[in-house]
Amino acid sequence: MSTGDAAARAFQDVFGREPETTASAPGRVNLLGEHTDYHEGYVLPATIPQRTHATIAARSDRVVRAWSSGAGDRDGVEQYALGSESRGRGWLDYVQGLTAALAARQIALPGFDLHLVSTVPIGGGVSSSAALEISVLRALRSRFALPLDDVALARIGRAAENDFVGAPVGIMDQMASSLGRGGEALFLDTRTLAVERIPLPAAIELMVIDSGVAHQHAGGEYAIRRRESFEAAAQLGVPFLRDADVGMLGAVERLAPVLGRRARHVITENQRVLEAVAALRAGDADTMGRLMNESHASMRDDYETSTPEIDVLVEIARAQEGVYGARLTGGGFGGAIAAIVRAGAAANLGARVAQAYTARTGRRAAVIVPSGAHFLKSRGHDPSPGPPAS
């Protein structure tokens, strides 16, 4: 049975009627460009195979009924009225945020029934929230003929997280989920939203491993880092750290130590993305790996978003023959690491790294890429959409 057929049958089981539209969207891994998107900088994400599927059918009233496969039975159906969205309802806030964002843009919708199922790991730093947002928006666009292109979907998804959920994320996750394609890196200028698709060299393969330490973006340390970085930008006399290049690092050193570290990370990370794009175009895996290693050091020491577990996972990965480079991916404070490895070696390397990590930390790592099956087996997968996992 295809994924679409399974989703249609599940929808009918829950809502007792035929679905009208099914759409999906992928999670993403970020190769380089961490904490640069909210400073209108450069990012370099790629999609992962795991996806969120949204199946809908229109209603004749203004009620939205939503069900996640993690709820288990029909008693798990949540509902609200359009125009009466209210925060604090867990995963449903992402759906409510989307309908509120559409209404703010004068895009009218009738009510609808929604079924969600996802294989994107939650809390793993691979953007389960953006996959939810884009899959739902794609389904709504298809069913109701909404005049929205893929960039508009990304903007609305980000607005839902920023304005309703309260997660101060940039637009990278939604752009990657909405525009990304398998086998490519998406070079994105988050100021202009200009995109270039860069094929991943045939000689390398992605490896993504979840540390087992979940993270979230709505508040906490992520928001603190963001605030500190904008304070640094203001003291440097620029609105965004995108406007401060490596030629300003001397001025950065004169800032208070914490603000200087935050600014140095964003400025040098933007430069690393530009160098990584050139490396990918040239098929230069060694340079790409070095840049990923440098990026991790910058996030660990300057932006201070890593954790001891993540550092151990990166260390173990880098020690393996065939690994060019590895780094924390996503907003930090847990989540996953991304590595580029010799083509054909990722599955064996991932299993070896995960086993060594468990032996050292007692935590169960999970290989997300190249095989989602490792995640399902090692960690016990709850496919219900959850908190931000950018």
Side-chain angles (χ1 to χ4, degrees):
M1 182 185 297
S2 70
T3 302
D5 290 340
R9 178 173 295 180
F11 182 97
Q12 189 170 21
D13 288 344
V14 172
F15 295 110
R17 63 190 183 115
E18 294 287 336
E20 296 171 341
T21 301
T22 295
S24 69
R28 70 98 188 94
V29 62
N30 196 23
L31 303 181
L32 274 170
E34 224 66 78
H35 294 278
T36 57
D37 58 345
Y38 50 79
H39 277 283
E40 299 191 352
Y42 303 110
V43 294
L44 192 65
T47 62
I48 61 174
Q50 291 86 351
R51 304 179 74 87
T52 295
H53 297 263
T55 305
I56 68 168
R59 297 175 56 87
S60 59
D61 54 21
R62 290 183 55 78
V63 172
V64 174
R65 296 192 300 172
W67 189 89
S68 158
S69 58
D73 55 38
R74 290 193 60 178
D75 293 337
V77 174
E78 301 277 356
Q79 71 177 49
Y80 65 95
L82 293 169
S84 298
E85 291 87 352
S86 59
R87 297 174 178 84
R89 301 184 65 182
W91 63 267
L92 188 67
D93 281 3
Y94 295 89
V95 181
Q96 293 189 97
L98 294 174
T99 57
L102 288 166
R105 289 158 175 75
Q106 310 303 311
I107 297 174
L109 292 174
F112 56 90
D113 290 338
L114 166 68
H115 177 276
L116 290 164
V117 61
S118 182
T119 58
V120 182
I122 297 166
V126 290
S127 201
S128 61
S129 56
L132 183 158
E133 293 151 9
I134 300 303
S135 65
V136 172
L137 288 169
R138 283 176 171 172
L140 293 174
R141 178 175 65 180
S142 176
R143 173 60 184 85
F144 300 116
L146 303 182
L148 301 169
D149 62 18
D150 290 341
V151 173
L153 296 190
R155 290 182 184 275
I156 292 166
R158 182 196 183 185
E161 288 212 43
N162 288 176
D163 302 336
F164 194 90
V165 177
V169 298
I171 201 169
M172 172 183 67
D173 296 349
Q174 291 79 14
M175 286 289 287
S177 188
S178 187
L179 280 80
R181 300 190 303 211
E184 300 176 340
L186 194 73
F187 175 37
L188 169 64
D189 180 338
T190 64
R191 169 164 288 173
T192 65
L193 298 189
V195 166
E196 179 184 350
R197 303 178 187 278
I198 304 176
L200 296 175
I204 67 171
E205 189 175 6
L206 292 182
M207 182 175 74
V208 183
I209 304 177
D210 181 12
S211 69
V213 181
H215 79 138
Q216 61 181 11
H217 282 167
E221 292 294 325
Y222 183 97
I224 292 171
R225 296 299 183 277
R226 178 172 175 143
R227 183 173 66 248
E228 290 168 341
S229 69
F230 276 100
E231 185 176 346
Q235 293 192 20
L236 290 170
V238 295
F240 299 94
L241 289 173
R242 157 70 176 268
D243 301 303
D245 60 21
V246 292
M248 295 181 65
L249 289 177
V252 167
E253 296 302 319
R254 294 190 288 273
L255 298 176
V258 169
L259 299 186
R261 291 197 298 271
R262 306 301 186 248
R264 183 167 56 238
H265 166 73
V266 177
I267 293 169
T268 58
E269 186 79 348
N270 273 321
Q271 181 63 31
R272 280 188 287 272
V273 173
L274 298 178
E275 294 177 17
V277 168
L280 288 179
R281 289 172 181 157
D284 185 348
D286 289 327
T287 296
M288 183 67 190
R290 173 180 59 79
L291 292 167
M292 292 178 75
N293 292 341
E294 291 175 358
S295 175
H296 181 76
S298 183
M299 287 193 292
R300 181 192 64 210
D301 301 333
D302 282 347
Y303 228 62
E304 297 178 278
T305 57
S306 191
T307 67
E309 296 89 350
I310 289 287
D311 292 339
V312 167
L313 193 52
V314 166
E315 176 190 336
I316 293 170
R318 289 181 187 168
Q320 307 301 314
E321 183 178 356
V323 174
Y324 295 102
R327 65 184 286 273
L328 167 64
T329 187
F333 311 105
I337 70 163
I340 58 168
V341 308
R342 185 179 65 249
N348 287 335
L349 285 170
R352 190 182 311 157
V353 170
Q355 183 177 22
Y357 171 78
T358 299
R360 282 185 58 177
T361 68
R363 291 185 175 271
R364 301 184 70 182
V367 180
I368 300 172
V369 177
S371 173
H374 289 283
F375 182 87
L376 298 174
K377 179 179 179 182
S378 66
R379 195 162 152 191
H381 182 54
D382 174 3
S384 63
S390 176

PDB file of all heavy atoms in Angstrom, residues 248-283:
ATOM      1  N   MET A 248      35.365  43.167  10.015  1.00  0.00           N
ATOM      2  CA  MET A 248      34.983  43.841  11.257  1.00  0.00           C
ATOM      3  C   MET A 248      35.322  43.026  12.500  1.00  0.00           C
ATOM      4  O   MET A 248      34.937  43.385  13.619  1.00  0.00           O
ATOM      5  CB  MET A 248      33.484  44.171  11.243  1.00  0.00           C
ATOM      6  CG  MET A 248      33.081  45.177  10.176  1.00  0.00           C
ATOM      7  SD  MET A 248      31.304  45.557  10.212  1.00  0.00           S
ATOM      8  CE  MET A 248      31.144  46.362  11.806  1.00  0.00           C
ATOM      9  N   LEU A 249      36.047  41.934  12.340  1.00  0.00           N
ATOM     10  CA  LEU A 249      36.352  41.100  13.498  1.00  0.00           C
ATOM     11  C   LEU A 249      37.215  41.825  14.529  1.00  0.00           C
ATOM     12  O   LEU A 249      37.157  41.507  15.719  1.00  0.00           O
ATOM     13  CB  LEU A 249      37.028  39.804  13.054  1.00  0.00           C
ATOM     14  CG  LEU A 249      36.107  38.806  12.332  1.00  0.00           C
ATOM     15  CD1 LEU A 249      36.903  37.589  11.874  1.00  0.00           C
ATOM     16  CD2 LEU A 249      34.940  38.394  13.217  1.00  0.00           C
ATOM     17  N   GLY A 250      37.991  42.797  14.081  1.00  0.00           N
ATOM     18  CA  GLY A 250      38.756  43.603  15.034  1.00  0.00           C
ATOM     19  C   GLY A 250      37.830  44.372  15.966  1.00  0.00           C
ATOM     20  O   GLY A 250      38.057  44.429  17.185  1.00  0.00           O
ATOM     21  N   ALA A 251      36.765  44.953  15.405  1.00  0.00           N
ATOM     22  CA  ALA A 251      35.788  45.656  16.233  1.00  0.00           C
ATOM     23  C   ALA A 251      35.041  44.683  17.139  1.00  0.00           C
ATOM     24  O   ALA A 251      34.689  45.019  18.283  1.00  0.00           O
ATOM     25  CB  ALA A 251      34.794  46.403  15.338  1.00  0.00           C
ATOM     26  N   VAL A 252      34.810  43.472  16.647  1.00  0.00           N
ATOM     27  CA  VAL A 252      34.132  42.461  17.453  1.00  0.00           C
ATOM     28  C   VAL A 252      34.931  42.160  18.721  1.00  0.00           C
ATOM     29  O   VAL A 252      34.363  41.976  19.808  1.00  0.00           O
ATOM     30  CB  VAL A 252      33.925  41.176  16.624  1.00  0.00           C
ATOM     31  CG1 VAL A 252      33.519  40.005  17.512  1.00  0.00           C
ATOM     32  CG2 VAL A 252      32.884  41.414  15.536  1.00  0.00           C
ATOM     33  N   GLU A 253      36.255  42.138  18.608  1.00  0.00           N
ATOM     34  CA  GLU A 253      37.096  41.817  19.764  1.00  0.00           C
ATOM     35  C   GLU A 253      36.991  42.872  20.855  1.00  0.00           C
ATOM     36  O   GLU A 253      37.344  42.610  22.008  1.00  0.00           O
ATOM     37  CB  GLU A 253      38.555  41.668  19.319  1.00  0.00           C
ATOM     38  CG  GLU A 253      38.798  40.515  18.368  1.00  0.00           C
ATOM     39  CD  GLU A 253      38.371  39.182  18.966  1.00  0.00           C
ATOM     40  OE1 GLU A 253      38.637  38.963  20.163  1.00  0.00           O
ATOM     41  OE2 GLU A 253      37.780  38.376  18.230  1.00  0.00           O
ATOM     42  N   ARG A 254      36.505  44.051  20.518  1.00  0.00           N
ATOM     43  CA  ARG A 254      36.389  45.118  21.516  1.00  0.00           C
ATOM     44  C   ARG A 254      35.039  45.101  22.233  1.00  0.00           C
ATOM     45  O   ARG A 254      34.816  45.902  23.151  1.00  0.00           O
ATOM     46  CB  ARG A 254      36.621  46.475  20.847  1.00  0.00           C
ATOM     47  CG  ARG A 254      38.054  46.646  20.336  1.00  0.00           C
ATOM     48  CD  ARG A 254      38.339  48.078  19.909  1.00  0.00           C
ATOM     49  NE  ARG A 254      37.666  48.426  18.659  1.00  0.00           N
ATOM     50  CZ  ARG A 254      38.165  48.208  17.451  1.00  0.00           C
ATOM     51  NH1 ARG A 254      39.346  47.610  17.308  1.00  0.00           N
ATOM     52  NH2 ARG A 254      37.505  48.565  16.372  1.00  0.00           N
ATOM     53  N   LEU A 255      34.146  44.226  21.837  1.00  0.00           N
ATOM     54  CA  LEU A 255      32.876  44.089  22.533  1.00  0.00           C
ATOM     55  C   LEU A 255      33.076  43.347  23.855  1.00  0.00           C
ATOM     56  O   LEU A 255      34.105  42.723  24.083  1.00  0.00           O
ATOM     57  CB  LEU A 255      31.882  43.313  21.666  1.00  0.00           C
ATOM     58  CG  LEU A 255      31.482  43.921  20.322  1.00  0.00           C
ATOM     59  CD1 LEU A 255      30.566  42.953  19.569  1.00  0.00           C
ATOM     60  CD2 LEU A 255      30.796  45.272  20.507  1.00  0.00           C
ATOM     61  N   ALA A 256      32.072  43.404  24.710  1.00  0.00           N
ATOM     62  CA  ALA A 256      32.090  42.567  25.909  1.00  0.00           C
ATOM     63  C   ALA A 256      32.269  41.113  25.471  1.00  0.00           C
ATOM     64  O   ALA A 256      31.773  40.720  24.417  1.00  0.00           O
ATOM     65  CB  ALA A 256      30.789  42.741  26.682  1.00  0.00           C
ATOM     66  N   PRO A 257      32.976  40.317  26.269  1.00  0.00           N
ATOM     67  CA  PRO A 257      33.340  38.965  25.815  1.00  0.00           C
ATOM     68  C   PRO A 257      32.185  38.125  25.287  1.00  0.00           C
ATOM     69  O   PRO A 257      32.295  37.507  24.227  1.00  0.00           O
ATOM     70  CB  PRO A 257      33.968  38.343  27.064  1.00  0.00           C
ATOM     71  CG  PRO A 257      34.548  39.517  27.800  1.00  0.00           C
ATOM     72  CD  PRO A 257      33.584  40.635  27.569  1.00  0.00           C
ATOM     73  N   VAL A 258      31.061  38.091  25.995  1.00  0.00           N
ATOM     74  CA  VAL A 258      29.944  37.262  25.530  1.00  0.00           C
ATOM     75  C   VAL A 258      29.409  37.773  24.206  1.00  0.00           C
ATOM     76  O   VAL A 258      29.194  36.998  23.260  1.00  0.00           O
ATOM     77  CB  VAL A 258      28.814  37.222  26.582  1.00  0.00           C
ATOM     78  CG1 VAL A 258      27.558  36.582  25.986  1.00  0.00           C
ATOM     79  CG2 VAL A 258      29.260  36.442  27.812  1.00  0.00           C
ATOM     80  N   LEU A 259      29.220  39.083  24.095  1.00  0.00           N
ATOM     81  CA  LEU A 259      28.689  39.630  22.850  1.00  0.00           C
ATOM     82  C   LEU A 259      29.684  39.438  21.711  1.00  0.00           C
ATOM     83  O   LEU A 259      29.289  39.175  20.569  1.00  0.00           O
ATOM     84  CB  LEU A 259      28.358  41.111  23.024  1.00  0.00           C
ATOM     85  CG  LEU A 259      27.308  41.457  24.082  1.00  0.00           C
ATOM     86  CD1 LEU A 259      26.975  42.940  24.037  1.00  0.00           C
ATOM     87  CD2 LEU A 259      26.052  40.608  23.902  1.00  0.00           C
ATOM     88  N   GLY A 260      30.949  39.538  22.005  1.00  0.00           N
ATOM     89  CA  GLY A 260      31.960  39.327  20.976  1.00  0.00           C
ATOM     90  C   GLY A 260      31.926  37.905  20.442  1.00  0.00           C
ATOM     91  O   GLY A 260      32.052  37.674  19.231  1.00  0.00           O
ATOM     92  N   ARG A 261      31.749  36.954  21.332  1.00  0.00           N
ATOM     93  CA  ARG A 261      31.686  35.555  20.883  1.00  0.00           C
ATOM     94  C   ARG A 261      30.465  35.332  20.006  1.00  0.00           C
ATOM     95  O   ARG A 261      30.546  34.646  18.970  1.00  0.00           O
ATOM     96  CB  ARG A 261      31.661  34.611  22.087  1.00  0.00           C
ATOM     97  CG  ARG A 261      32.967  34.561  22.865  1.00  0.00           C
ATOM     98  CD  ARG A 261      33.039  33.352  23.768  1.00  0.00           C
ATOM     99  NE  ARG A 261      31.994  33.336  24.789  1.00  0.00           N
ATOM    100  CZ  ARG A 261      32.109  33.902  25.993  1.00  0.00           C
ATOM    101  NH1 ARG A 261      33.215  34.570  26.320  1.00  0.00           N
ATOM    102  NH2 ARG A 261      31.124  33.820  26.883  1.00  0.00           N
ATOM    103  N   ARG A 262      29.325  35.887  20.413  1.00  0.00           N
ATOM    104  CA  ARG A 262      28.112  35.699  19.612  1.00  0.00           C
ATOM    105  C   ARG A 262      28.281  36.304  18.216  1.00  0.00           C
ATOM    106  O   ARG A 262      27.925  35.684  17.208  1.00  0.00           O
ATOM    107  CB  ARG A 262      26.903  36.322  20.307  1.00  0.00           C
ATOM    108  CG  ARG A 262      26.671  35.861  21.735  1.00  0.00           C
ATOM    109  CD  ARG A 262      26.469  34.362  21.868  1.00  0.00           C
ATOM    110  NE  ARG A 262      26.122  34.033  23.245  1.00  0.00           N
ATOM    111  CZ  ARG A 262      26.905  33.347  24.070  1.00  0.00           C
ATOM    112  NH1 ARG A 262      28.085  32.888  23.659  1.00  0.00           N
ATOM    113  NH2 ARG A 262      26.510  33.086  25.303  1.00  0.00           N
ATOM    114  N   ALA A 263      28.805  37.493  18.154  1.00  0.00           N
ATOM    115  CA  ALA A 263      28.993  38.140  16.854  1.00  0.00           C
ATOM    116  C   ALA A 263      30.004  37.388  16.008  1.00  0.00           C
ATOM    117  O   ALA A 263      29.809  37.205  14.795  1.00  0.00           O
ATOM    118  CB  ALA A 263      29.436  39.590  17.051  1.00  0.00           C
ATOM    119  N   ARG A 264      31.101  36.948  16.620  1.00  0.00           N
ATOM    120  CA  ARG A 264      32.135  36.250  15.853  1.00  0.00           C
ATOM    121  C   ARG A 264      31.576  34.983  15.212  1.00  0.00           C
ATOM    122  O   ARG A 264      31.889  34.664  14.055  1.00  0.00           O
ATOM    123  CB  ARG A 264      33.317  35.919  16.756  1.00  0.00           C
ATOM    124  CG  ARG A 264      34.471  35.250  15.989  1.00  0.00           C
ATOM    125  CD  ARG A 264      35.743  35.208  16.815  1.00  0.00           C
ATOM    126  NE  ARG A 264      35.542  34.534  18.085  1.00  0.00           N
ATOM    127  CZ  ARG A 264      35.767  35.090  19.280  1.00  0.00           C
ATOM    128  NH1 ARG A 264      36.220  36.338  19.366  1.00  0.00           N
ATOM    129  NH2 ARG A 264      35.560  34.409  20.393  1.00  0.00           N
ATOM    130  N   HIS A 265      30.726  34.262  15.940  1.00  0.00           N
ATOM    131  CA  HIS A 265      30.157  33.056  15.343  1.00  0.00           C
ATOM    132  C   HIS A 265      29.353  33.382  14.098  1.00  0.00           C
ATOM    133  O   HIS A 265      29.537  32.761  13.043  1.00  0.00           O
ATOM    134  CB  HIS A 265      29.250  32.301  16.326  1.00  0.00           C
ATOM    135  CG  HIS A 265      28.423  31.273  15.621  1.00  0.00           C
ATOM    136  ND1 HIS A 265      28.954  30.098  15.146  1.00  0.00           N
ATOM    137  CD2 HIS A 265      27.107  31.281  15.232  1.00  0.00           C
ATOM    138  CE1 HIS A 265      28.013  29.417  14.511  1.00  0.00           C
ATOM    139  NE2 HIS A 265      26.883  30.109  14.554  1.00  0.00           N
ATOM    140  N   VAL A 266      28.412  34.319  14.206  1.00  0.00           N
ATOM    141  CA  VAL A 266      27.529  34.594  13.071  1.00  0.00           C
ATOM    142  C   VAL A 266      28.326  35.117  11.872  1.00  0.00           C
ATOM    143  O   VAL A 266      28.100  34.694  10.720  1.00  0.00           O
ATOM    144  CB  VAL A 266      26.424  35.590  13.464  1.00  0.00           C
ATOM    145  CG1 VAL A 266      25.550  35.927  12.256  1.00  0.00           C
ATOM    146  CG2 VAL A 266      25.562  35.018  14.586  1.00  0.00           C
ATOM    147  N   ILE A 267      29.279  36.004  12.123  1.00  0.00           N
ATOM    148  CA  ILE A 267      30.070  36.575  11.023  1.00  0.00           C
ATOM    149  C   ILE A 267      30.894  35.498  10.337  1.00  0.00           C
ATOM    150  O   ILE A 267      30.908  35.394   9.100  1.00  0.00           O
ATOM    151  CB  ILE A 267      30.965  37.706  11.560  1.00  0.00           C
ATOM    152  CG1 ILE A 267      30.110  38.895  12.017  1.00  0.00           C
ATOM    153  CG2 ILE A 267      31.974  38.143  10.498  1.00  0.00           C
ATOM    154  CD1 ILE A 267      30.888  39.938  12.802  1.00  0.00           C
ATOM    155  N   THR A 268      31.580  34.675  11.110  1.00  0.00           N
ATOM    156  CA  THR A 268      32.424  33.649  10.494  1.00  0.00           C
ATOM    157  C   THR A 268      31.586  32.524   9.900  1.00  0.00           C
ATOM    158  O   THR A 268      31.981  31.911   8.903  1.00  0.00           O
ATOM    159  CB  THR A 268      33.426  33.073  11.510  1.00  0.00           C
ATOM    160  OG1 THR A 268      32.722  32.517  12.629  1.00  0.00           O
ATOM    161  CG2 THR A 268      34.388  34.158  11.996  1.00  0.00           C
ATOM    162  N   GLU A 269      30.416  32.264  10.458  1.00  0.00           N
ATOM    163  CA  GLU A 269      29.543  31.218   9.907  1.00  0.00           C
ATOM    164  C   GLU A 269      29.030  31.623   8.531  1.00  0.00           C
ATOM    165  O   GLU A 269      28.949  30.789   7.616  1.00  0.00           O
ATOM    166  CB  GLU A 269      28.384  30.941  10.864  1.00  0.00           C
ATOM    167  CG  GLU A 269      27.509  29.772  10.465  1.00  0.00           C
ATOM    168  CD  GLU A 269      28.096  28.411  10.797  1.00  0.00           C
ATOM    169  OE1 GLU A 269      29.292  28.318  11.134  1.00  0.00           O
ATOM    170  OE2 GLU A 269      27.348  27.419  10.702  1.00  0.00           O
ATOM    171  N   ASN A 270      28.691  32.884   8.360  1.00  0.00           N
ATOM    172  CA  ASN A 270      28.292  33.353   7.031  1.00  0.00           C
ATOM    173  C   ASN A 270      29.411  33.134   6.019  1.00  0.00           C
ATOM    174  O   ASN A 270      29.169  32.686   4.883  1.00  0.00           O
ATOM    175  CB  ASN A 270      27.922  34.841   7.082  1.00  0.00           C
ATOM    176  CG  ASN A 270      26.476  35.069   7.446  1.00  0.00           C
ATOM    177  OD1 ASN A 270      25.585  34.339   7.019  1.00  0.00           O
ATOM    178  ND2 ASN A 270      26.230  36.103   8.239  1.00  0.00           N
ATOM    179  N   GLN A 271      30.630  33.431   6.415  1.00  0.00           N
ATOM    180  CA  GLN A 271      31.767  33.239   5.512  1.00  0.00           C
ATOM    181  C   GLN A 271      31.971  31.754   5.216  1.00  0.00           C
ATOM    182  O   GLN A 271      32.269  31.384   4.071  1.00  0.00           O
ATOM    183  CB  GLN A 271      33.033  33.829   6.141  1.00  0.00           C
ATOM    184  CG  GLN A 271      34.278  33.712   5.273  1.00  0.00           C
ATOM    185  CD  GLN A 271      34.165  34.480   3.967  1.00  0.00           C
ATOM    186  OE1 GLN A 271      33.495  35.511   3.904  1.00  0.00           O
ATOM    187  NE2 GLN A 271      34.800  33.982   2.920  1.00  0.00           N
ATOM    188  N   ARG A 272      31.771  30.913   6.214  1.00  0.00           N
ATOM    189  CA  ARG A 272      31.925  29.466   5.986  1.00  0.00           C
ATOM    190  C   ARG A 272      30.903  28.950   4.977  1.00  0.00           C
ATOM    191  O   ARG A 272      31.210  28.071   4.164  1.00  0.00           O
ATOM    192  CB  ARG A 272      31.806  28.710   7.312  1.00  0.00           C
ATOM    193  CG  ARG A 272      33.079  28.729   8.145  1.00  0.00           C
ATOM    194  CD  ARG A 272      32.970  27.814   9.347  1.00  0.00           C
ATOM    195  NE  ARG A 272      32.088  28.342  10.379  1.00  0.00           N
ATOM    196  CZ  ARG A 272      32.471  29.149  11.360  1.00  0.00           C
ATOM    197  NH1 ARG A 272      33.738  29.535  11.452  1.00  0.00           N
ATOM    198  NH2 ARG A 272      31.614  29.569  12.267  1.00  0.00           N
ATOM    199  N   VAL A 273      29.688  29.461   5.024  1.00  0.00           N
ATOM    200  CA  VAL A 273      28.682  29.025   4.046  1.00  0.00           C
ATOM    201  C   VAL A 273      29.143  29.354   2.631  1.00  0.00           C
ATOM    202  O   VAL A 273      29.055  28.513   1.725  1.00  0.00           O
ATOM    203  CB  VAL A 273      27.315  29.665   4.329  1.00  0.00           C
ATOM    204  CG1 VAL A 273      26.333  29.343   3.193  1.00  0.00           C
ATOM    205  CG2 VAL A 273      26.754  29.174   5.649  1.00  0.00           C
ATOM    206  N   LEU A 274      29.644  30.565   2.430  1.00  0.00           N
ATOM    207  CA  LEU A 274      30.105  30.953   1.092  1.00  0.00           C
ATOM    208  C   LEU A 274      31.248  30.048   0.625  1.00  0.00           C
ATOM    209  O   LEU A 274      31.295  29.624  -0.539  1.00  0.00           O
ATOM    210  CB  LEU A 274      30.546  32.419   1.099  1.00  0.00           C
ATOM    211  CG  LEU A 274      29.442  33.440   1.444  1.00  0.00           C
ATOM    212  CD1 LEU A 274      30.032  34.850   1.473  1.00  0.00           C
ATOM    213  CD2 LEU A 274      28.294  33.359   0.445  1.00  0.00           C
ATOM    214  N   GLU A 275      32.160  29.726   1.523  1.00  0.00           N
ATOM    215  CA  GLU A 275      33.270  28.849   1.162  1.00  0.00           C
ATOM    216  C   GLU A 275      32.776  27.419   0.917  1.00  0.00           C
ATOM    217  O   GLU A 275      33.304  26.705   0.052  1.00  0.00           O
ATOM    218  CB  GLU A 275      34.327  28.870   2.259  1.00  0.00           C
ATOM    219  CG  GLU A 275      35.018  30.219   2.402  1.00  0.00           C
ATOM    220  CD  GLU A 275      36.015  30.253   3.551  1.00  0.00           C
ATOM    221  OE1 GLU A 275      36.410  29.156   4.023  1.00  0.00           O
ATOM    222  OE2 GLU A 275      36.386  31.355   3.983  1.00  0.00           O
ATOM    223  N   ALA A 276      31.760  26.989   1.663  1.00  0.00           N
ATOM    224  CA  ALA A 276      31.218  25.646   1.478  1.00  0.00           C
ATOM    225  C   ALA A 276      30.526  25.510   0.134  1.00  0.00           C
ATOM    226  O   ALA A 276      30.607  24.451  -0.512  1.00  0.00           O
ATOM    227  CB  ALA A 276      30.245  25.319   2.607  1.00  0.00           C
ATOM    228  N   VAL A 277      29.841  26.540  -0.288  1.00  0.00           N
ATOM    229  CA  VAL A 277      29.197  26.508  -1.605  1.00  0.00           C
ATOM    230  C   VAL A 277      30.247  26.298  -2.695  1.00  0.00           C
ATOM    231  O   VAL A 277      30.071  25.470  -3.598  1.00  0.00           O
ATOM    232  CB  VAL A 277      28.395  27.799  -1.836  1.00  0.00           C
ATOM    233  CG1 VAL A 277      27.963  27.922  -3.299  1.00  0.00           C
ATOM    234  CG2 VAL A 277      27.181  27.842  -0.915  1.00  0.00           C
ATOM    235  N   ALA A 278      31.351  27.026  -2.596  1.00  0.00           N
ATOM    236  CA  ALA A 278      32.427  26.857  -3.574  1.00  0.00           C
ATOM    237  C   ALA A 278      33.008  25.445  -3.508  1.00  0.00           C
ATOM    238  O   ALA A 278      33.316  24.830  -4.538  1.00  0.00           O
ATOM    239  CB  ALA A 278      33.516  27.894  -3.324  1.00  0.00           C
ATOM    240  N   ALA A 279      33.130  24.898  -2.297  1.00  0.00           N
ATOM    241  CA  ALA A 279      33.675  23.549  -2.143  1.00  0.00           C
ATOM    242  C   ALA A 279      32.752  22.511  -2.764  1.00  0.00           C
ATOM    243  O   ALA A 279      33.211  21.577  -3.441  1.00  0.00           O
ATOM    244  CB  ALA A 279      33.911  23.252  -0.667  1.00  0.00           C
ATOM    245  N   LEU A 280      31.455  22.636  -2.546  1.00  0.00           N
ATOM    246  CA  LEU A 280      30.518  21.684  -3.138  1.00  0.00           C
ATOM    247  C   LEU A 280      30.524  21.766  -4.655  1.00  0.00           C
ATOM    248  O   LEU A 280      30.471  20.741  -5.346  1.00  0.00           O
ATOM    249  CB  LEU A 280      29.105  21.922  -2.602  1.00  0.00           C
ATOM    250  CG  LEU A 280      28.836  21.520  -1.158  1.00  0.00           C
ATOM    251  CD1 LEU A 280      27.399  21.841  -0.776  1.00  0.00           C
ATOM    252  CD2 LEU A 280      29.123  20.047  -0.934  1.00  0.00           C
ATOM    253  N   ARG A 281      30.573  22.972  -5.176  1.00  0.00           N
ATOM    254  CA  ARG A 281      30.627  23.125  -6.636  1.00  0.00           C
ATOM    255  C   ARG A 281      31.853  22.433  -7.213  1.00  0.00           C
ATOM    256  O   ARG A 281      31.805  21.883  -8.318  1.00  0.00           O
ATOM    257  CB  ARG A 281      30.643  24.604  -7.007  1.00  0.00           C
ATOM    258  CG  ARG A 281      29.329  25.344  -6.781  1.00  0.00           C
ATOM    259  CD  ARG A 281      29.527  26.826  -6.997  1.00  0.00           C
ATOM    260  NE  ARG A 281      28.308  27.603  -6.785  1.00  0.00           N
ATOM    261  CZ  ARG A 281      28.299  28.887  -6.476  1.00  0.00           C
ATOM    262  NH1 ARG A 281      29.453  29.545  -6.314  1.00  0.00           N
ATOM    263  NH2 ARG A 281      27.150  29.524  -6.320  1.00  0.00           N
ATOM    264  N   ALA A 282      32.944  22.475  -6.462  1.00  0.00           N
ATOM    265  CA  ALA A 282      34.203  21.885  -6.928  1.00  0.00           C
ATOM    266  C   ALA A 282      34.330  20.415  -6.559  1.00  0.00           C
ATOM    267  O   ALA A 282      35.311  19.762  -6.934  1.00  0.00           O
ATOM    268  CB  ALA A 282      35.382  22.664  -6.346  1.00  0.00           C
ATOM    269  N   GLY A 283      33.360  19.876  -5.810  1.00  0.00           N
ATOM    270  CA  GLY A 283      33.455  18.495  -5.352  1.00  0.00           C
ATOM    271  C   GLY A 283      34.561  18.271  -4.349  1.00  0.00           C
ATOM    272  O   GLY A 283      35.113  17.176  -4.254  1.00  0.00           O
TER     273      GLY A 283
END
